[in-house]
Amino acid sequence: MHFSALVSDCFCIFAALHIAVRRAHVNDVGRRLHHILNIMNNKDYAGDAVALLKQLIAVPSVSRSEDRAADVMEHALQVWNMPCRREGNNVWTVCQDYDEHRPTLLLNAHIDTVKPVDSWTRDPYEPQLEGDRLYGLGSNDCGGGLTALLQVFRIMSGRQRSYNMVYLASAEEEVSGASGISMALPLLP
């Protein structure tokens, strides 16, 4: 058994999110999706997401032991000049144009994984890219979503919006732990 994240599928998340948030009319969906793909090609957001996902796969991050994965996420946010906060192993950033009078969109995915099972046919902590598939523990649940949402945040933070954004990489989702999103939510704006 092995799990993979289809790299191109990760960015369907961000395209769908952008379209939904903008409440696009049916006629605009194709144009907006084309625009989003052009943005991604101008900067290597896909490459950044894959590189970050590889780092996360290489770091064991079983629930309640996600500290190294949280370090990776915190470092990535700092490298991309996004001021961040951390509480336990929850790491987040808030759009720089935050306005308390606007609604806020929370982009959340979790950094923890389950323990690898004996039936894995690959090293779960060695990211392996084969074609457009990236194999490794957490590549699908939920590293692909985590890294894709971060690219959404990066792209949309530089755009005019009628809403705020908060990006949260939360801990302990796999065990519904008290030190996960329930710890972070009261601290978010």
Side-chain angles (χ1 to χ4, degrees):
M1 177 191 325
H2 59 269
F3 295 94
S4 68
L6 190 58
V7 174
S8 59
D9 286 352
C10 293
F11 290 95
C12 288
I13 295 170
F14 115 86
L17 176 67
H18 176 71
I19 290 166
V21 169
R22 295 288 304 264
R23 295 185 181 103
H25 298 292
V26 175
N27 296 339
D28 292 339
V29 172
R31 182 180 56 80
R32 290 177 191 253
L33 184 56
H34 179 72
H35 177 69
I36 290 167
L37 294 174
N38 283 338
I39 292 169
M40 288 176 54
N41 290 333
N42 290 336
K43 226 176 179 182
D44 193 14
Y45 291 104
D48 289 347
V50 172
L52 180 57
L53 183 51
K54 285 180 175 180
Q55 291 176 43
L56 289 167
I57 290 169
V59 174
S61 56
V62 174
S63 296
R64 296 192 174 106
S65 298
E66 312 97 335
D67 51 317
R68 290 176 52 207
D71 293 343
V72 168
M73 293 305 299
E74 188 172 22
H75 178 73
L77 292 172
Q78 292 167 348
V79 165
W80 290 320
N81 297 315
M82 290 184 261
C84 64
R85 288 200 45 203
R86 180 171 176 173
E87 183 70 26
N89 291 324
N90 300 290
V91 181
W92 67 91
T93 187
V94 177
C95 61
Q96 292 185 7
D97 62 346
Y98 182 85
D99 178 349
E100 66 183 35
H101 301 292
R102 296 189 306 189
T104 298
L105 175 65
L106 174 62
L107 303 175
N108 171 241
H110 62 93
I111 61 173
D112 60 317
T113 66
V114 295
K115 292 180 182 178
V117 294
D118 293 337
S119 58
W120 269 78
T121 58
R122 301 169 183 260
D123 180 345
Y125 300 114
E126 183 180 327
Q128 297 175 12
L129 187 59
E130 293 178 11
D132 64 353
R133 292 189 182 269
L134 180 58
Y135 295 89
L137 185 62
S139 63
N140 186 37
D141 181 18
C142 182
L146 182 73
T147 58
L149 286 177
L150 181 52
Q151 304 317 307
V152 170
F153 185 89
R154 289 177 65 200
I155 292 167
M156 295 307 298
S157 289
R159 301 231 174 266
Q160 186 174 6
R161 302 171 321 282
S162 60
Y163 54 91
N164 299 308
M165 291 188 314
V166 175
Y167 172 81
L168 170 62
S170 58
E172 295 190 8
E173 185 273 344
E174 297 291 355
V175 295
S176 301
S179 296
I181 193 169
S182 59
M183 174 190 279
L185 283 177
L187 305 172
L188 302 179

